[in-house]
């Protein structure tokens, strides 16, 4: 084993510039929702050059859209395919899925960026651009890990299943499609930007919309109306209390350094059409966090009961109940025991490369890991290069040294997990 690990480490050390160039190519392509094809084409060509067995398809169909875990408002996936590329093992070893998403969030106000959001600019050891951290850097770490094994002439017993999927940022339809296509494994690594921490548990989440009804009136006689904005304040207060109650039940030490393990975030409020009118409607939209150890349905029921109690306490809301809708994005929670063999192998590889044990925490956000674990019955660890705090922010970037380190750790983990065919 030692000589093979040395070969892989040496190859990755000698090909750092190659990794940076590949990431530049990916970042320079705008792969926001509905525009994934050009970036995916680069990944497909890379996998073809590596000699991997390719499966390229456009997701969709009744099996996907009717599945309980499917949640997506996208009408068409045409022209923007999923990719699975397999390095087939000889048999007898454990298989592994290496899952990365190719879609990125919008850039926001470009005036807040120091460089073009799709420049791939390298400055002071950092590569800038939308998706550099979330998560094209992680994808490159996976590809370089696979290439290092192939280039070193190493044969594995277990299969390595690389996935480049669409739609992660909008609820995970791409990964769900891959699971329904039959891709499962003995373990999986998702290289989301974890600041090089290991996340065996992932928070789930879902979007909600609450419609508040009021009664219109002239602003000069506002006492004749019922302000939907004022009633929405009661809703927000109830949701804040619900957040406190839900988080008070969480005792898992993996959440110790996370101030609010499963937040309820109010992201958007719309109400009113005229300053001199009492608004008769307010719409509150937000995101509800889901504990790794609870179901989506159980979390939904808690919010439904919370709002029902509020309506019972308010005379107006008794007559005009709140309307709650679950819409848009939804991410399944995921959980893996910290003593799982995959955690052990990844920890050993991390320790070998860095000289220190990894930090193991719970994820503060949702990933496709919930789909792989709950639907695909595949144990998942989220671990990758990139800075969690700037993933969707302006001036997104990745520290290239972290990318190189993560790639080496993942490569060694693959060798340990899949096992080597000894010469």
């Amino acid at each position: 084993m030692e000589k093979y690990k040395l070969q892989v480490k040496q190859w990755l050390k000698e090909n750092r510039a190659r990794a940076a160039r590949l990431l530049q190519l990916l970042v320079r392509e705008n792969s926001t929702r509905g525009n994934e094809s050009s970036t995916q084409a680069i990944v497909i060509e890379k996998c073809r050059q590596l000699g991997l067995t390719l499966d390229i398809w456009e997701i969709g169909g009744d099996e996907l859209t009717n599945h309980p875990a499917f949640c997506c408002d996208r009408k068409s996936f045409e022209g923007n395919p999923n990719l699975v590329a397999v390095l087939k093992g000889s048999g007898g070893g454990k298989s592994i899925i290496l899952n990365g998403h190719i879609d990125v969030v919008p850039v926001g106000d470009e005036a807040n960026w120091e460089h073009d959001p799709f420049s791939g600019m390298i400055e002071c050891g950092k590569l800038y651009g939308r998706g550099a951290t979330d998560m094209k850097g992680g994808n490159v770490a996976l590809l370089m890990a696979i290439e290092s094994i192939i280039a070193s002439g190493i044969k594995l017993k277990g299969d390595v299943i690389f996935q480049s999927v669409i739609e992660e940022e909008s609820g995970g339809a791409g990964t769900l499609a891959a699971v329904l296509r039959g891709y499962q494994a003995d373990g999986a690594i998702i290289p989301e930007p974890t600041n090089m921490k290991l996340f065996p548990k992932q928070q789930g989440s879902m979007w909600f919309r609450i419609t508040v009804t009021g009664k219109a009136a002239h602003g000069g006689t506002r006492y004749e109306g019922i302000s939907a904005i004022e009633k929405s304040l009661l809703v927000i207060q109830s949701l804040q209390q619900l957040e406190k109650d839900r988080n008070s039940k969480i005792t898992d030490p993996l959440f110790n350094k996370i101030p609010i393990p499963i937040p309820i975030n109010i992201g958007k409020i719309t109400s009113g059409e005229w300053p001199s009118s009492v608004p008769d409607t307010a719409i509150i939209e937000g995101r509800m966090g889901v504990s790794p150890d609870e179901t989506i349905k159980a979390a939904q029921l808690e919010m439904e009961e919370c709002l029902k109690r509020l309506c019972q306490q308010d005379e107006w809301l008794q007559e005009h109940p709140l309307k709650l809708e679950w819409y848009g994005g939804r991410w399944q929670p995921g959980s893996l025991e910290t003593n799982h063999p995959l955690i052990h192998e990844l920890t050993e590889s991390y320790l070998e490369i860095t000289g220190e044990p990894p930090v193991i925490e719970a994820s503060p956000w949702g990933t496709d890991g919930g789909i792989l674990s709950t639907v695909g019955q595949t144990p998942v660890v989220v671990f990758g290069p990139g800075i969690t705090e700037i993933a969707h922010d302006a001036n997104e970037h990745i520290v290239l040294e972290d990318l190189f380190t993560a790639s080496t750790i993942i490569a060694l983990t693959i060798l340990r997990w899949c096992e080597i065919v000894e010469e």
Side-chain angles (χ1 to χ4, degrees):
M1 170 69 86
E2 290 305 315
K3 73 171 184 178
Y4 299 112
K5 290 194 291 185
L6 284 172
Q7 290 174 348
V8 164
K9 287 190 279 188
Q10 185 62 32
W11 188 92
L12 286 168
K13 184 177 180 180
E14 293 173 354
N15 287 273
R16 290 183 167 193
R18 186 191 194 98
R21 286 197 300 271
L22 177 58
L23 182 54
Q24 278 185 313
L25 286 176
L26 296 181
V27 169
R28 286 171 178 166
E29 296 293 331
N30 176 354
S31 59
T32 49
R33 197 180 197 207
N35 302 299
E36 302 95 339
S37 59
S38 61
T39 319
Q40 198 75 304
I42 297 171
V43 179
I44 290 169
E45 181 57 29
K46 179 67 177 178
C47 292
R48 185 174 284 119
Q49 291 171 1
L50 294 177
L52 304 179
T53 302
L54 305 185
D55 184 10
I56 306 163
W57 79 101
E58 291 179 353
I59 72 173
D62 291 343
E63 183 185 17
L64 176 66
T65 58
N66 292 334
H67 194 279
F70 177 81
C71 185
C72 181
D73 60 354
R74 187 165 170 176
K75 303 304 180 185
S76 173
F77 305 98
E78 186 176 353
N80 296 283
N82 252 12
L83 163 70
V84 174
V86 179
L87 176 62
K88 191 68 178 175
S90 66
K94 295 186 289 295
S95 57
I96 192 165
I97 287 173
L98 305 175
N99 173 282
H101 66 85
I102 204 65
D103 55 310
V104 300
V105 298
V107 301
D109 187 351
E110 291 193 31
N112 293 327
W113 288 75
E114 294 179 13
H115 307 292
D116 185 299
F118 299 107
S119 67
M121 170 77 72
I122 296 177
E123 188 175 82
C124 300
K126 301 174 182 178
L127 191 150
Y128 287 82
R130 176 59 83 223
T133 271
D134 188 13
M135 60 173 288
K136 292 176 179 178
N139 289 353
V140 170
L142 297 179
L143 288 168
M144 296 305 291
I146 295 170
E147 185 170 4
S148 72
I149 294 169
I150 294 171
S152 299
I154 299 171
K155 305 299 181 184
L156 300 173
K157 294 182 180 180
D159 296 345
V160 178
I161 305 165
F162 170 76
Q163 300 179 340
S164 181
V165 301
I166 67 172
E167 280 295 298
E168 189 275 344
E169 297 289 0
S170 303
T175 292
L176 179 59
V179 170
L180 297 180
R181 204 167 174 86
Y183 291 105
Q184 294 175 288
D186 297 307
I189 296 173
I190 300 181
E192 290 277 8
T194 69
N195 296 337
M196 302 291 282
K197 299 176 182 178
L198 273 59
F199 290 167
K201 297 190 176 186
Q202 302 99 56
Q203 173 192 150
S205 65
M206 52 196 164
W207 293 353
F208 63 86
R209 179 186 293 122
I210 302 170
T211 302
V212 185
T213 300
K215 180 179 181 296
H218 192 287
T221 54
R222 72 176 187 85
Y223 42 82
E224 295 180 353
I226 300 291
S227 171
I229 290 177
E230 292 179 10
K231 291 300 178 183
S232 70
L233 295 178
L234 298 178
V235 175
I236 293 171
Q237 289 170 1
S238 293
L239 294 181
Q240 289 172 334
Q241 185 60 51
L242 175 63
E243 179 187 73
K244 290 179 181 178
D245 294 342
R246 282 172 52 77
N247 282 277
S248 68
K249 302 172 188 175
I250 294 179
T251 58
D252 192 323
L254 293 186
F255 284 104
N256 283 350
K257 294 184 179 179
I258 300 175
I260 308 176
I262 47 173
I264 297 177
N265 180 66
I266 306 299
K268 182 180 177 184
I269 300 177
T270 55
S271 183
E273 296 179 322
W274 193 251
S276 290
S277 295
V278 175
D280 59 2
T281 303
I283 298 175
I284 302 168
E285 295 179 342
R287 170 198 184 277
M288 183 181 193
V290 181
S291 166
D293 301 314
E294 72 175 333
T295 65
I296 292 279
K297 191 63 182 175
Q300 289 177 339
L301 184 60
E302 280 205 42
M303 182 176 287
E304 290 165 6
E305 291 297 323
C306 169
L307 297 180
K308 188 181 296 183
R309 288 194 299 271
L310 174 61
C311 290
Q312 292 170 349
Q313 295 164 6
D314 184 274
E315 184 178 347
W316 174 261
L317 295 178
Q318 286 180 22
E319 301 278 335
H320 305 83
L322 301 166
K323 179 183 177 184
L324 172 62
E325 302 170 80
W326 302 102
Y327 81 105
R330 184 171 65 217
W331 292 263
Q332 298 289 329
S335 182
L336 184 66
E337 304 84 2
T338 54
N339 62 354
H340 190 277
L342 183 58
I343 297 282
H344 172 76
E345 301 295 6
L346 193 51
T347 297
E348 288 296 308
S349 297
Y350 188 102
L351 185 60
E352 179 174 342
I353 298 303
T354 68
E356 299 177 352
V359 174
I360 301 178
E361 291 183 355
S363 167
W365 23 248
T367 75
D368 276 356
I371 291 173
L372 284 176
S373 60
T374 60
V375 183
Q377 300 302 304
T378 298
V380 179
V381 181
V382 181
F383 161 76
I387 304 167
T388 300
E389 294 78 12
I390 65 165
H392 290 191
D393 204 350
N395 300 310
E396 180 181 347
H397 62 272
I398 191 168
V399 177
L400 288 172
E401 187 65 33
D402 288 346
L403 187 159
F404 305 144
T405 300
S407 186
T408 308
I409 292 169
I410 291 169
L412 296 192
T413 303
I414 294 170
L415 298 183
R416 295 174 187 272
W417 186 255
C418 297
E419 301 180 55
I420 297 169
V421 177
E422 299 285 352
E423 295 179 351

